[in-house]
Amino acid sequence: MPDEEPDGRGRRRRAGKTGRRASRRGDADGGAPEGGGLFGGGDDAGGRSKRRGSSSEEHSSDPEARARGICLRLLTLAPRTRAQLAEALRKKEIPEEVAERVLERYSEVGLIDDQAFAAAWVSSRHHGRGLARRALAQELRHRGVEEETVKEAVEQLDPDEEVETARRLVARKLRSTSGADPRVRTRKLVGMLARKGYSAGLAFRIVKEALEAEGEETEGAEGGYLDSL
């Protein structure tokens, strides 16, 4: 039973109740979200402290201090590419030469590392979303990663692993298409894989294998899919 203590008017109250309420308020107001993940918004006391420091720098009259504050705040929230940070500084009207100096310094000390970003992005998005190399490369290019770095990152994904991921995606979706015409099922399943960056040839082969394993007749299904493109 929780300890009790007098409240000064003859009644007794539970000790620590206020503390528990304050703790709950703290969780609601400043607690870190669950499941922040590599590219999520997870945070800790150190991150909040860095943000407070970067926030004061963002309002500095010194452009270089402002640039540092902007970069630190964004990097605390989630990993960023150099191009993303450069764009953020441009929008804040940081002079180009100042932005370049800050970005170069942060690259030198490892706060900006597009190679590490790209490698982590490929691993996270493939295992989390089932994306194939083509889709992953497109996402990295969209974030300003240089082509050579993109190529190196997506090549770390083993082709056999990519095929197995495609099979798992189809197996997960298969039941929701049961009862439909084979051509309709093929179109839906191949389309799902195509949206995740798998080639049409690989996607159709995986879908055909899955449907035939169910005893589904797939003769002519490929033509039906190709006709819908």
Side-chain angles (χ1 to χ4, degrees):
M1 179 176 179
D3 294 337
E4 296 184 344
E5 58 186 28
D7 66 0
R9 290 180 290 181
R11 296 195 298 271
R12 303 179 73 81
R13 63 180 177 82
R14 295 179 185 274
K17 187 174 182 180
T18 302
R20 286 196 297 275
R21 282 202 302 268
S23 175
R24 286 196 294 271
R25 284 197 301 271
D27 291 343
D29 297 339
E34 293 183 3
L38 180 60
F39 296 98
D43 201 358
D44 55 20
R48 290 192 293 273
S49 176
K50 286 180 182 179
R51 281 210 305 274
R52 284 195 294 270
S54 65
S55 178
S56 62
E57 282 193 316
E58 280 190 63
H59 296 92
S60 170
S61 58
D62 177 11
E64 189 161 332
R66 286 184 61 217
R68 288 196 302 266
I70 292 165
C71 289
L72 286 175
R73 176 176 59 81
L74 293 174
L75 289 168
T76 298
L77 293 172
R80 297 293 201 284
T81 66
R82 180 166 177 150
Q84 287 176 313
L85 293 172
E87 177 64 12
L89 296 178
R90 187 190 66 77
K91 288 181 178 179
K92 294 292 186 179
E93 300 182 346
I94 300 296
E96 186 176 346
E97 65 277 8
V98 173
E100 184 62 26
R101 188 160 60 244
V102 170
L103 294 173
E104 188 61 31
R105 176 57 180 161
Y106 281 8
S107 296
E108 289 174 358
V109 300
L111 287 174
I112 302 173
D113 188 338
D114 281 5
Q115 286 185 319
F117 177 97
W121 185 271
V122 167
S123 177
S124 175
R125 298 284 285 176
H126 177 72
H127 292 103
R129 297 286 304 279
L131 299 186
R133 282 175 288 186
R134 185 170 61 182
L136 293 166
Q138 184 176 356
E139 289 187 340
L140 289 173
R141 293 187 192 104
H142 181 69
R143 284 155 182 78
V145 179
E146 293 183 355
E147 190 61 33
E148 187 62 31
T149 302
V150 171
K151 184 178 179 181
E152 291 175 0
V154 297
E155 282 181 351
Q156 76 178 0
L157 185 58
D158 186 86
D160 292 337
E161 182 181 1
E162 195 174 33
V163 170
E164 288 306 311
T165 299
R167 287 194 174 110
R168 287 194 296 271
L169 290 169
V170 169
R172 196 180 306 159
K173 187 77 172 175
L174 205 58
R175 183 177 296 178
S176 67
T177 68
S178 61
D181 181 86
R183 293 192 178 196
V184 174
R185 299 186 79 189
T186 300
R187 184 169 64 250
K188 288 183 176 180
L189 294 169
V190 172
M192 178 269 294
L193 290 180
R195 287 190 295 274
K196 290 182 178 290
Y198 295 89
S199 69
L202 174 62
F204 180 78
R205 176 165 64 85
I206 297 298
V207 171
K208 184 177 180 182
E209 289 175 359
L211 293 178
E212 288 181 347
E214 276 193 344
E216 188 78 79
E217 176 59 54
T218 61
E219 187 67 31
E222 182 176 9
Y225 169 72
L226 295 176
D227 290 343
S228 70
L229 292 179

Coordinates of all heavy atoms in Angstrom, one line a residue, residues 42-130:
G42 N 12.9 10.0 -32.9 CA 13.3 9.7 -31.5 C 14.3 10.7 -31.0 O 15.0 11.4 -31.7
D43 N 14.3 10.9 -29.6 CA 15.1 12.0 -29.0 C 15.4 11.6 -27.6 O 14.9 10.6 -27.0 CB 14.3 13.3 -29.0 CG 15.2 14.5 -28.9 OD1 16.4 14.3 -28.8 OD2 14.6 15.6 -28.9
D44 N 16.3 12.3 -27.0 CA 16.7 12.1 -25.6 C 17.1 13.4 -25.0 O 17.0 14.5 -25.7 CB 17.8 11.1 -25.5 CG 19.0 11.4 -26.3 OD1 19.2 12.6 -26.6 OD2 19.8 10.6 -26.6
A45 N 17.5 13.4 -23.7 CA 17.8 14.7 -23.1 C 19.0 15.4 -23.8 O 19.0 16.6 -23.9 CB 18.2 14.4 -21.6
G46 N 20.0 14.6 -24.2 CA 21.1 15.2 -25.0 C 20.6 15.9 -26.2 O 21.1 17.0 -26.6
G47 N 19.6 15.2 -26.9 CA 19.1 15.8 -28.2 C 18.4 17.1 -27.9 O 18.5 18.1 -28.6
R48 N 17.6 17.1 -26.8 CA 16.8 18.4 -26.4 C 17.8 19.5 -26.1 O 17.6 20.6 -26.4 CB 15.9 18.1 -25.3 CG 14.7 17.2 -25.7 CD 13.6 17.2 -24.6 NE 14.1 16.5 -23.4 CZ 14.0 15.2 -23.2 NH1 13.5 14.4 -24.1 NH2 14.4 14.7 -22.0
S49 N 18.9 19.1 -25.4 CA 19.9 20.1 -25.0 C 20.5 20.7 -26.3 O 20.7 21.9 -26.4 CB 21.0 19.5 -24.1 OG 22.0 20.4 -23.8
K50 N 20.9 19.8 -27.2 CA 21.5 20.3 -28.5 C 20.5 21.2 -29.2 O 20.9 22.2 -29.8 CB 21.8 19.1 -29.4 CG 23.1 18.4 -28.9 CD 23.3 17.2 -29.9 CE 24.5 16.4 -29.4 NZ 24.8 15.3 -30.3
R51 N 19.2 20.9 -29.2 CA 18.2 21.7 -29.9 C 18.1 23.1 -29.3 O 18.0 24.1 -29.9 CB 16.9 21.0 -29.9 CG 16.8 20.0 -31.0 CD 15.3 19.8 -31.5 NE 14.4 19.6 -30.4 CZ 14.1 18.4 -29.9 NH1 14.7 17.4 -30.3 NH2 13.2 18.3 -28.9
R52 N 18.2 23.1 -27.9 CA 18.1 24.4 -27.3 C 19.3 25.3 -27.7 O 19.1 26.5 -27.9 CB 18.1 24.3 -25.7 CG 16.7 23.8 -25.2 CD 16.6 24.0 -23.7 NE 17.6 23.1 -23.0 CZ 17.3 21.9 -22.6 NH1 16.1 21.4 -22.8 NH2 18.2 21.1 -22.0
G53 N 20.5 24.7 -27.7 CA 21.6 25.4 -28.1 C 21.6 25.9 -29.6 O 21.9 27.0 -29.9
S54 N 21.1 25.0 -30.5 CA 21.0 25.3 -31.9 C 19.9 26.4 -32.1 O 20.0 27.2 -33.0 CB 20.7 24.1 -32.7 OG 19.5 23.5 -32.4
S55 N 18.9 26.3 -31.3 CA 17.8 27.3 -31.4 C 18.3 28.7 -31.2 O 17.9 29.7 -31.9 CB 16.6 27.0 -30.5 OG 15.6 27.9 -30.6
S56 N 19.1 28.9 -30.2 CA 19.7 30.2 -29.9 C 20.6 30.7 -31.0 O 20.6 31.8 -31.4 CB 20.4 30.2 -28.5 OG 21.5 29.3 -28.6
E57 N 21.3 29.7 -31.6 CA 22.2 30.1 -32.7 C 21.4 30.5 -33.9 O 21.8 31.4 -34.7 CB 23.1 28.9 -33.0 CG 24.3 28.8 -32.0 CD 25.4 27.8 -32.6 OE1 25.0 26.8 -33.1 OE2 26.5 28.1 -32.5
E58 N 20.3 29.9 -34.1 CA 19.5 30.2 -35.3 C 19.0 31.6 -35.3 O 18.7 32.2 -36.4 CB 18.2 29.2 -35.4 CG 18.5 27.9 -35.9 CD 17.3 27.1 -36.2 OE1 16.5 27.5 -37.0 OE2 17.0 26.1 -35.5
H59 N 18.9 32.2 -34.2 CA 18.4 33.6 -34.1 C 19.6 34.6 -33.9 O 19.4 35.8 -33.7 CB 17.4 33.8 -32.9 CG 16.2 33.0 -33.1 ND1 16.0 31.7 -32.6 CD2 15.0 33.3 -33.7 CE1 14.8 31.2 -33.0 NE2 14.2 32.2 -33.6
S60 N 20.8 34.1 -34.1 CA 22.0 34.9 -34.0 C 22.0 35.9 -35.2 O 21.5 35.6 -36.3 CB 23.2 34.1 -33.9 OG 24.4 34.9 -34.0
S61 N 22.7 37.0 -35.0 CA 22.9 38.0 -36.1 C 24.1 37.5 -37.0 O 24.3 38.0 -38.1 CB 23.2 39.4 -35.6 OG 24.3 39.4 -34.7
D62 N 24.9 36.5 -36.5 CA 26.0 36.0 -37.2 C 25.5 34.9 -38.2 O 25.0 33.9 -37.7 CB 27.0 35.5 -36.2 CG 28.2 34.8 -37.0 OD1 28.4 35.0 -38.2 OD2 29.0 34.1 -36.3
P63 N 25.6 35.1 -39.5 CA 25.1 34.1 -40.4 C 25.7 32.7 -40.2 O 25.0 31.7 -40.4 CB 25.5 34.7 -41.8 CG 25.7 36.1 -41.6 CD 26.2 36.3 -40.2
E64 N 27.0 32.7 -39.9 CA 27.6 31.3 -39.7 C 27.0 30.6 -38.4 O 26.8 29.4 -38.5 CB 29.1 31.5 -39.5 CG 29.8 30.1 -39.5 CD 31.3 30.3 -39.9 OE1 31.7 31.2 -40.6 OE2 32.1 29.4 -39.4
A65 N 26.8 31.4 -37.4 CA 26.2 30.8 -36.2 C 24.8 30.3 -36.5 O 24.3 29.3 -36.1 CB 26.1 31.8 -35.0
R66 N 24.0 31.1 -37.3 CA 22.7 30.7 -37.7 C 22.7 29.4 -38.5 O 21.9 28.5 -38.3 CB 22.0 31.8 -38.5 CG 21.6 33.0 -37.7 CD 20.9 34.0 -38.6 NE 19.7 33.4 -39.2 CZ 19.3 33.6 -40.5 NH1 20.0 34.4 -41.3 NH2 18.2 33.0 -40.9
A67 N 23.7 29.4 -39.4 CA 23.8 28.2 -40.3 C 24.1 26.9 -39.4 O 23.5 25.9 -39.6 CB 24.9 28.4 -41.3
R68 N 25.0 27.1 -38.4 CA 25.3 26.0 -37.5 C 24.1 25.5 -36.8 O 23.8 24.3 -36.6 CB 26.4 26.4 -36.6 CG 27.8 26.5 -37.2 CD 28.9 26.5 -36.1 NE 28.7 27.5 -35.1 CZ 29.2 28.7 -35.2 NH1 30.0 29.0 -36.2 NH2 29.0 29.7 -34.3
G69 N 23.3 26.5 -36.3 CA 22.1 26.2 -35.5 C 21.1 25.5 -36.3 O 20.4 24.5 -35.9
I70 N 20.9 25.9 -37.6 CA 19.9 25.2 -38.5 C 20.3 23.8 -38.7 O 19.5 22.9 -38.6 CB 19.8 26.0 -39.8 CG1 19.1 27.4 -39.5 CG2 19.0 25.3 -40.8 CD1 19.3 28.4 -40.7
C71 N 21.6 23.6 -39.1 CA 22.1 22.3 -39.4 C 22.0 21.3 -38.1 O 21.5 20.2 -38.3 CB 23.5 22.3 -39.9 SG 23.7 23.0 -41.5
L72 N 22.4 21.8 -37.0 CA 22.3 21.0 -35.8 C 20.9 20.6 -35.4 O 20.6 19.5 -35.0 CB 23.0 21.7 -34.6 CG 24.5 21.8 -34.7 CD1 25.1 22.7 -33.5 CD2 25.1 20.4 -34.6
R73 N 20.0 21.6 -35.6 CA 18.6 21.2 -35.2 C 18.0 20.1 -36.2 O 17.4 19.2 -35.7 CB 17.7 22.5 -35.4 CG 16.2 22.2 -35.1 CD 15.4 23.5 -35.2 NE 15.5 24.2 -36.4 CZ 14.8 23.9 -37.5 NH1 14.0 22.8 -37.5 NH2 15.0 24.6 -38.6
L74 N 18.3 20.3 -37.5 CA 17.8 19.3 -38.4 C 18.5 17.9 -38.2 O 17.8 16.9 -38.3 CB 18.0 19.8 -39.8 CG 17.2 21.0 -40.2 CD1 17.6 21.5 -41.6 CD2 15.7 20.7 -40.2
L75 N 19.8 17.9 -37.9 CA 20.5 16.7 -37.7 C 20.0 16.0 -36.5 O 20.1 14.8 -36.3 CB 22.0 16.9 -37.8 CG 22.6 17.3 -39.1 CD1 24.0 17.7 -39.0 CD2 22.5 16.1 -40.1
T76 N 19.6 16.8 -35.5 CA 19.1 16.2 -34.2 C 17.8 15.5 -34.5 O 17.5 14.4 -33.9 CB 19.0 17.3 -33.2 OG1 20.2 17.9 -32.9 CG2 18.4 16.7 -31.9
L77 N 17.0 16.0 -35.3 CA 15.7 15.4 -35.6 C 15.8 14.1 -36.4 O 15.1 13.2 -36.1 CB 14.8 16.4 -36.4 CG 14.4 17.7 -35.6 CD1 13.7 18.7 -36.5 CD2 13.5 17.3 -34.4
A78 N 16.7 14.1 -37.4 CA 16.8 12.9 -38.2 C 18.1 13.1 -39.1 O 18.5 14.2 -39.3 CB 15.6 12.7 -39.1
P79 N 18.7 12.0 -39.6 CA 19.8 12.1 -40.5 C 19.4 12.9 -41.7 O 18.3 12.8 -42.2 CB 20.1 10.6 -40.9 CG 19.6 9.8 -39.7 CD 18.3 10.6 -39.3
R80 N 20.3 13.7 -42.3 CA 20.1 14.5 -43.5 C 21.3 14.4 -44.4 O 22.4 14.2 -44.0 CB 19.9 16.0 -43.1 CG 18.7 16.3 -42.3 CD 17.4 16.1 -43.0 NE 16.3 16.8 -42.4 CZ 15.6 16.6 -41.3 NH1 16.0 15.5 -40.5 NH2 14.6 17.3 -40.9
T81 N 21.0 14.5 -45.7 CA 22.1 14.5 -46.7 C 22.6 16.0 -46.7 O 22.0 16.9 -46.3 CB 21.6 14.1 -48.1 OG1 20.7 15.1 -48.5 CG2 21.0 12.8 -48.0
R82 N 23.8 16.1 -47.3 CA 24.4 17.4 -47.5 C 23.5 18.3 -48.3 O 23.3 19.5 -48.0 CB 25.8 17.3 -48.1 CG 26.5 18.6 -48.3 CD 27.9 18.5 -48.6 NE 28.6 19.8 -48.9 CZ 29.8 20.0 -48.6 NH1 30.6 19.1 -48.1 NH2 30.4 21.2 -48.9
A83 N 22.9 17.7 -49.4 CA 22.0 18.5 -50.3 C 20.8 19.0 -49.5 O 20.3 20.1 -49.8 CB 21.7 17.7 -51.5
Q84 N 20.2 18.2 -48.7 CA 19.1 18.6 -47.9 C 19.4 19.7 -47.0 O 18.6 20.7 -46.8 CB 18.5 17.4 -47.1 CG 17.8 16.3 -47.9 CD 17.4 15.2 -47.1 OE1 18.2 14.6 -46.3 NE2 16.1 14.7 -47.3
L85 N 20.6 19.7 -46.3 CA 21.0 20.8 -45.4 C 21.2 22.0 -46.2 O 20.9 23.1 -45.8 CB 22.2 20.3 -44.6 CG 21.9 19.2 -43.6 CD1 23.3 18.8 -43.0 CD2 21.0 19.7 -42.5
A86 N 21.9 21.9 -47.4 CA 22.2 23.0 -48.2 C 20.9 23.7 -48.6 O 20.8 25.0 -48.7 CB 23.0 22.6 -49.4
E87 N 19.9 22.9 -49.0 CA 18.6 23.5 -49.4 C 17.9 24.2 -48.2 O 17.3 25.3 -48.4 CB 17.7 22.4 -49.9 CG 16.3 22.8 -50.3 CD 16.2 23.8 -51.5 OE1 17.3 24.0 -52.1 OE2 15.2 24.4 -51.7
A88 N 18.0 23.6 -47.0 CA 17.4 24.3 -45.8 C 18.1 25.6 -45.6 O 17.5 26.6 -45.2 CB 17.6 23.4 -44.6
L89 N 19.4 25.7 -45.7 CA 20.2 26.9 -45.5 C 19.8 28.0 -46.6 O 19.7 29.2 -46.3 CB 21.7 26.7 -45.5 CG 22.2 25.8 -44.4 CD1 23.7 25.6 -44.5 CD2 21.9 26.4 -43.0
R90 N 19.6 27.5 -47.8 CA 19.2 28.4 -48.9 C 17.9 29.1 -48.6 O 17.7 30.3 -48.8 CB 19.2 27.7 -50.2 CG 19.0 28.6 -51.4 CD 18.7 27.8 -52.7 NE 17.4 27.0 -52.6 CZ 16.2 27.6 -52.7 NH1 16.1 28.9 -52.9 NH2 15.1 26.8 -52.6
K91 N 16.9 28.2 -48.1 CA 15.6 28.8 -47.8 C 15.7 29.8 -46.6 O 14.8 30.7 -46.6 CB 14.7 27.6 -47.4 CG 14.3 26.8 -48.6 CD 13.3 25.7 -48.2 CE 12.9 24.9 -49.5 NZ 12.0 23.7 -49.1
K92 N 16.6 29.6 -45.7 CA 16.8 30.6 -44.6 C 17.7 31.8 -45.0 O 18.0 32.6 -44.2 CB 17.4 29.9 -43.4 CG 16.5 28.8 -42.8 CD 15.3 29.4 -42.1 CE 14.5 28.3 -41.4 NZ 13.4 28.9 -40.7
E93 N 18.0 31.8 -46.3 CA 18.8 33.0 -46.9 C 20.1 33.1 -46.3 O 20.6 34.2 -46.1 CB 18.0 34.3 -46.7 CG 16.6 34.2 -47.5 CD 15.9 35.5 -47.4 OE1 16.2 36.4 -46.6 OE2 14.9 35.7 -48.2
I94 N 20.8 32.0 -45.9 CA 22.2 32.0 -45.5 C 23.0 32.2 -46.7 O 22.8 31.5 -47.7 CB 22.5 30.6 -44.8 CG1 21.6 30.4 -43.6 CG2 24.0 30.6 -44.4 CD1 21.8 31.4 -42.5
P95 N 24.0 33.1 -46.7 CA 24.9 33.3 -47.8 C 25.5 32.0 -48.3 O 25.9 31.2 -47.5 CB 25.9 34.4 -47.3 CG 25.2 35.1 -46.2 CD 24.3 34.1 -45.6
E96 N 25.6 31.9 -49.6 CA 26.1 30.6 -50.1 C 27.5 30.2 -49.6 O 27.8 29.1 -49.3 CB 26.2 30.7 -51.7 CG 26.6 29.4 -52.4 CD 26.5 29.5 -53.9 OE1 25.9 30.5 -54.4 OE2 27.0 28.6 -54.5
E97 N 28.4 31.2 -49.5 CA 29.8 30.9 -49.1 C 29.8 30.5 -47.6 O 30.6 29.7 -47.2 CB 30.7 32.1 -49.3 CG 30.4 33.4 -48.5 CD 29.3 34.3 -49.2 OE1 28.7 33.8 -50.1 OE2 29.1 35.4 -48.7
V98 N 28.9 31.1 -46.8 CA 28.8 30.7 -45.4 C 28.3 29.3 -45.3 O 28.8 28.5 -44.5 CB 27.9 31.7 -44.6 CG1 27.7 31.2 -43.2 CG2 28.5 33.1 -44.6
A99 N 27.2 29.0 -46.0 CA 26.6 27.7 -46.0 C 27.7 26.6 -46.4 O 27.8 25.6 -45.7 CB 25.4 27.6 -46.9
E100 N 28.4 26.9 -47.4 CA 29.4 26.0 -47.9 C 30.5 25.7 -46.9 O 30.9 24.6 -46.7 CB 30.1 26.5 -49.2 CG 31.1 25.5 -49.8 CD 30.4 24.2 -50.3 OE1 29.2 24.2 -50.5 OE2 31.1 23.2 -50.3
R101 N 30.9 26.8 -46.2 CA 31.9 26.6 -45.1 C 31.4 25.7 -44.0 O 32.1 24.9 -43.5 CB 32.3 28.0 -44.6 CG 33.5 28.0 -43.7 CD 34.1 29.4 -43.6 NE 33.2 30.4 -43.1 CZ 32.8 31.5 -43.9 NH1 33.2 31.6 -45.1 NH2 32.0 32.4 -43.4
V102 N 30.2 26.0 -43.5 CA 29.6 25.2 -42.4 C 29.4 23.7 -42.9 O 29.8 22.8 -42.1 CB 28.3 25.8 -42.0 CG1 27.6 24.9 -41.0 CG2 28.5 27.1 -41.3
L103 N 28.9 23.5 -44.0 CA 28.6 22.2 -44.5 C 30.0 21.4 -44.7 O 30.0 20.2 -44.4 CB 27.9 22.2 -45.9 CG 26.5 22.7 -45.8 CD1 25.9 22.9 -47.2 CD2 25.6 21.8 -45.0
E104 N 31.0 22.1 -45.2 CA 32.3 21.4 -45.3 C 32.9 21.0 -44.0 O 33.4 19.9 -43.8 CB 33.2 22.4 -46.1 CG 34.6 21.7 -46.5 CD 34.4 20.6 -47.4 OE1 33.4 20.6 -48.2 OE2 35.2 19.6 -47.3
R105 N 32.7 21.9 -43.0 CA 33.2 21.6 -41.7 C 32.5 20.4 -41.1 O 33.1 19.5 -40.5 CB 33.1 22.9 -40.8 CG 33.5 22.6 -39.3 CD 34.9 22.1 -39.2 NE 35.3 21.9 -37.8 CZ 36.3 21.2 -37.4 NH1 37.1 20.5 -38.4 NH2 36.6 21.0 -36.2
Y106 N 31.2 20.4 -41.2 CA 30.4 19.3 -40.6 C 30.7 18.0 -41.4 O 30.6 16.9 -40.8 CB 28.9 19.6 -40.7 CG 28.5 20.6 -39.6 CD1 29.4 21.2 -38.7 CD2 27.1 20.9 -39.4 CE1 29.0 22.0 -37.7 CE2 26.7 21.7 -38.4 CZ 27.7 22.3 -37.5 OH 27.2 23.1 -36.5
S107 N 31.0 18.1 -42.6 CA 31.4 16.9 -43.4 C 32.8 16.4 -42.9 O 33.0 15.1 -42.7 CB 31.5 17.2 -44.9 OG 30.2 17.5 -45.4
E108 N 33.7 17.3 -42.6 CA 35.0 16.9 -42.1 C 34.9 16.2 -40.7 O 35.7 15.2 -40.5 CB 35.9 18.1 -42.0 CG 36.3 18.7 -43.3 CD 37.1 20.0 -43.1 OE1 37.2 20.5 -41.9 OE2 37.5 20.6 -44.1
V109 N 34.0 16.6 -39.9 CA 33.9 16.0 -38.5 C 33.0 14.8 -38.5 O 32.8 14.2 -37.4 CB 33.6 17.0 -37.5 CG1 34.6 18.2 -37.4 CG2 32.2 17.6 -37.7
G110 N 32.3 14.5 -39.6 CA 31.4 13.3 -39.7 C 30.0 13.6 -39.3 O 29.2 12.6 -39.3
L111 N 29.6 14.8 -39.1 CA 28.2 15.1 -38.8 C 27.3 14.9 -40.1 O 26.2 14.6 -40.0 CB 28.0 16.5 -38.2 CG 28.5 16.7 -36.8 CD1 28.4 18.1 -36.4 CD2 27.6 15.8 -35.9
I112 N 28.0 15.2 -41.2 CA 27.3 14.9 -42.5 C 28.1 13.8 -43.2 O 29.3 14.0 -43.4 CB 27.3 16.2 -43.4 CG1 26.6 17.4 -42.7 CG2 26.7 15.9 -44.8 CD1 26.7 18.7 -43.4
D113 N 27.4 12.8 -43.6 CA 28.1 11.6 -44.2 C 27.1 11.0 -45.2 O 26.3 10.1 -44.8 CB 28.6 10.6 -43.2 CG 29.4 9.5 -43.8 OD1 29.3 9.3 -45.0 OD2 30.2 8.9 -43.0
D114 N 27.1 11.4 -46.4 CA 26.2 10.9 -47.4 C 26.3 9.4 -47.7 O 25.3 8.7 -48.0 CB 26.3 11.7 -48.7 CG 25.6 13.0 -48.7 OD1 25.1 13.4 -47.6 OD2 25.5 13.7 -49.7
Q115 N 27.5 8.9 -47.6 CA 27.7 7.4 -47.8 C 27.1 6.6 -46.7 O 26.4 5.6 -47.0 CB 29.2 7.1 -47.9 CG 29.9 7.6 -49.1 CD 31.3 7.1 -49.2 OE1 32.1 7.2 -48.2 NE2 31.8 6.7 -50.4
A116 N 27.3 7.1 -45.4 CA 26.6 6.4 -44.3 C 25.1 6.5 -44.4 O 24.4 5.6 -44.1 CB 27.2 6.9 -43.0
F117 N 24.6 7.7 -44.8 CA 23.2 7.9 -44.9 C 22.6 7.0 -45.9 O 21.6 6.3 -45.7 CB 23.0 9.4 -45.3 CG 21.5 9.7 -45.6 CD1 20.7 10.3 -44.6 CD2 20.9 9.4 -46.8 CE1 19.4 10.6 -44.8 CE2 19.5 9.7 -47.0 CZ 18.8 10.3 -46.0
A118 N 23.3 6.9 -47.1 CA 22.7 6.1 -48.2 C 22.7 4.6 -47.8 O 21.7 3.9 -48.1 CB 23.6 6.3 -49.5
A119 N 23.8 4.1 -47.2 CA 23.8 2.7 -46.8 C 22.7 2.4 -45.8 O 22.0 1.4 -45.9 CB 25.2 2.4 -46.2
A120 N 22.6 3.3 -44.8 CA 21.5 3.1 -43.8 C 20.1 3.2 -44.4 O 19.2 2.4 -44.0 CB 21.7 4.1 -42.6
W121 N 20.0 4.1 -45.3 CA 18.7 4.2 -46.0 C 18.3 3.0 -46.7 O 17.1 2.5 -46.6 CB 18.7 5.4 -46.9 CG 17.4 5.8 -47.6 CD1 16.9 5.3 -48.7 CD2 16.4 6.7 -47.1 NE1 15.6 5.8 -49.0 CE2 15.3 6.7 -48.0 CE3 16.4 7.5 -45.9 CZ2 14.2 7.5 -47.8 CZ3 15.2 8.3 -45.7 CH2 14.2 8.3 -46.6
V122 N 19.2 2.4 -47.5 CA 18.9 1.2 -48.2 C 18.5 0.1 -47.3 O 17.5 -0.6 -47.5 CB 20.2 0.8 -49.1 CG1 20.0 -0.6 -49.6 CG2 20.3 1.8 -50.3
S123 N 19.3 -0.1 -46.2 CA 19.0 -1.2 -45.3 C 17.6 -1.0 -44.6 O 16.8 -1.9 -44.6 CB 20.1 -1.3 -44.3 OG 19.8 -2.3 -43.3
S124 N 17.4 0.2 -44.2 CA 16.1 0.5 -43.5 C 14.9 0.4 -44.3 O 13.9 -0.3 -44.0 CB 16.2 1.9 -42.8 OG 15.0 2.2 -42.2
R125 N 15.0 1.0 -45.5 CA 13.8 1.0 -46.4 C 13.5 -0.4 -47.1 O 12.4 -0.7 -47.4 CB 14.0 2.1 -47.5 CG 14.1 3.5 -46.9 CD 12.8 4.0 -46.4 NE 11.9 4.4 -47.6 CZ 10.7 4.8 -47.4 NH1 10.1 4.9 -46.3 NH2 10.0 5.2 -48.5
H126 N 14.6 -1.1 -47.3 CA 14.4 -2.4 -47.9 C 13.7 -3.4 -46.9 O 12.7 -4.0 -47.2 CB 15.7 -3.1 -48.4 CG 15.5 -4.4 -48.9 ND1 14.9 -4.7 -50.1 CD2 15.8 -5.7 -48.4 CE1 14.8 -6.0 -50.3 NE2 15.4 -6.6 -49.3
H127 N 14.3 -3.4 -45.7 CA 13.8 -4.3 -44.7 C 12.4 -3.8 -44.1 O 11.6 -4.6 -43.7 CB 14.8 -4.5 -43.6 CG 16.0 -5.3 -44.0 ND1 17.2 -4.7 -44.3 CD2 16.2 -6.6 -44.3 CE1 18.1 -5.6 -44.7 NE2 17.5 -6.7 -44.7
G128 N 12.3 -2.5 -44.1 CA 11.0 -2.0 -43.5 C 9.9 -1.9 -44.5 O 8.7 -2.1 -44.1
R129 N 10.2 -1.5 -45.7 CA 9.1 -1.3 -46.7 C 9.2 -2.3 -47.9 O 8.3 -2.3 -48.7 CB 9.2 0.1 -47.3 CG 9.0 1.2 -46.2 CD 7.5 1.3 -45.8 NE 6.7 1.5 -47.0 CZ 6.5 2.7 -47.6 NH1 7.1 3.8 -47.1 NH2 5.7 2.8 -48.6
G130 N 10.2 -3.1 -48.0 CA 10.4 -4.0 -49.1 C 10.7 -3.4 -50.4 O 10.5 -4.0 -51.4

